[in-house]
């Protein structure tokens, strides 16, 4: 069964304290891995797509990496406005953008 | 950027009733997917429409149905509402079935 697991469930950081979020996956065939950010009561906001092991993408304080079994979202020197739930999702080969999501990591950055 | 809009934003229904949720996709996007997100969980795929045809369905019962119109807007219909149907319903659109999906703000459905 295709499965996506995110850890930790919740993470509290001090402003400027860098850390990483983990997304491990077990799927029959990975077409792509997606990272989204979700603020309370709102829809997910697209961050990154990764397609192959070794690929990396960056946006401001965020960097996403991908291996054959997991992805990491690295947050460098976070600010309070980075507080949100970060969702990881996979697209299985042949599923045409039907995403399977993890449960998310709730990040709180304290000033 | 996202131009996906959903209506209504909030809705309260009674168990056993029927509900219709609406989604206007981003301009030019011909693929729409619907997701259900329970509190504290990630979104779960309900179904996808591509050029007015259903293009895949998740593990949801037949009382969850949908439509896509010629202008690529979409509806999600749920019959015989159950308490467990209470959730945030998300619509996502993409340029084709093979490009990134952008989400709307969701409709919060509460079944009492």
């Amino acid at each position: 069964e295709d499965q996506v697991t995110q850890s930790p469930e919740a993470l509290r950081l001090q402003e400027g304290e860098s850390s990483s979020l983990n997304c491990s996956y077990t799927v029959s065939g990975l077409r792509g891995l997606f990272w989204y950010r979700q603020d309370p009561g709102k829809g997910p906001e697209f961050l990154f797509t990764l397609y192959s092991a070794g690929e990396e993408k960056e946006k401001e304080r965020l960097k996403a990496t991908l291996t054959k079994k997991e992805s990491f979202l690295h947050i460098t020197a976070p600010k309070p406005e980075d507080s949100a739930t970060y969702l990881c999702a996979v697209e299985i080969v042949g599923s045409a953008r039907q995403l399977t999501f993890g449960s998310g990591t709730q990040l709180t950055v304290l000033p | 950027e996202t131009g996906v809009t959903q209506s209504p934003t909030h809705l309260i229904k009674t168990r056993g009733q029927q509900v219709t949720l609406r989604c206007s996709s981003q301009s030019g996007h011909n693929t729409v997917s619907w997701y259900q997100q329970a509190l504290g969980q990630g979104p779960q795929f309900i179904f996808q429409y591509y050029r007015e045809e259903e293009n895949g369905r998740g593990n949801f019962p037949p009382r969850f149905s949908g439509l896509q119109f010629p202008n690529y807007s979409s509806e999600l219909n749920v019959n015989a509402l159950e308490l467990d149907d209470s959730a945030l319903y998300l619509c996502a659109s993409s340029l084709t079935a093979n490009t990134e999906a952008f989400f709307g703000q969701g409709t919060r459905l509460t079944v009492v």
Side-chain angles (χ1 to χ4, degrees):
Chain A
E1 182 184 339
D2 300 320
Q3 199 164 12
V4 179
T5 304
Q6 291 189 247
S7 61
E9 291 184 6
L11 181 64
R12 291 166 67 93
L13 300 174
Q14 289 296 133
E15 184 172 2
E17 180 186 0
S18 301
S19 188
S20 297
L21 313 182
N22 177 263
C23 171
S24 63
Y25 59 90
T26 306
V27 298
S28 51
L30 180 72
R31 185 164 187 265
L33 186 140
F34 301 78
W35 282 98
Y36 285 86
R37 167 195 170 127
Q38 187 173 29
D39 293 305
K42 297 192 176 181
E45 174 189 347
F46 172 75
L47 294 174
F48 304 109
T49 309
L50 302 166
Y51 290 104
S52 55
E55 189 175 359
E56 298 184 352
K57 288 194 177 173
E58 287 189 63
K59 179 180 179 180
E60 296 180 354
R61 295 178 291 282
L62 301 176
K63 183 168 87 171
T65 62
L66 181 65
T67 72
K68 289 186 178 179
K69 293 183 178 180
E70 58 192 349
S71 176
F72 290 94
L73 184 66
H74 306 279
I75 302 177
T76 302
K79 299 182 178 181
E81 53 261 43
D82 294 323
S83 297
T85 295
Y86 290 85
L87 294 165
C88 164
V90 298
E91 182 191 345
I92 314 304
V93 171
S95 67
R97 281 293 182 266
Q98 298 165 14
L99 301 177
T100 300
F101 281 85
S103 295
T105 293
Q106 185 175 4
L107 174 67
T108 303
V109 182
L110 303 171
Chain B
E1 91 229 40
T2 178
V4 181
T5 58
Q6 294 185 241
S7 63
T9 54
H10 296 84
L11 199 54
I12 300 175
K13 287 286 189 177
T14 302
R15 188 172 49 183
Q17 285 188 314
Q18 177 265 344
V19 68
T20 298
L21 310 182
R22 294 179 174 83
C23 171
S24 293
S25 59
Q26 192 164 329
S27 178
H29 286 194
N30 59 21
T31 301
V32 173
S33 301
W34 286 91
Y35 291 81
Q36 180 196 67
Q37 187 176 25
L39 205 60
Q41 300 297 315
Q44 278 196 291
F45 175 74
I46 303 174
F47 43 58
Q48 182 185 87
Y49 280 85
Y50 172 65
R51 292 188 173 180
E52 302 178 60
E53 297 286 331
E54 188 177 288
N55 188 41
R57 188 178 182 92
N59 190 26
F60 280 81
R63 60 189 184 84
F64 286 79
S65 63
L67 281 174
Q68 187 180 31
F69 299 100
N71 66 354
Y72 302 136
S73 65
S74 178
E75 286 183 356
L76 164 66
N77 299 289
V78 187
N79 294 321
L81 283 166
E82 301 176 359
L83 297 179
D84 284 349
D85 296 332
S86 296
L88 182 67
Y89 287 85
L90 296 162
C91 168
S93 77
S94 53
L95 187 59
T96 70
N98 297 307
T99 55
E100 282 74 22
F102 295 92
F103 284 82
Q105 82 282 7
T107 293
R108 171 69 64 187
L109 173 66
T110 302
V111 182
V112 297

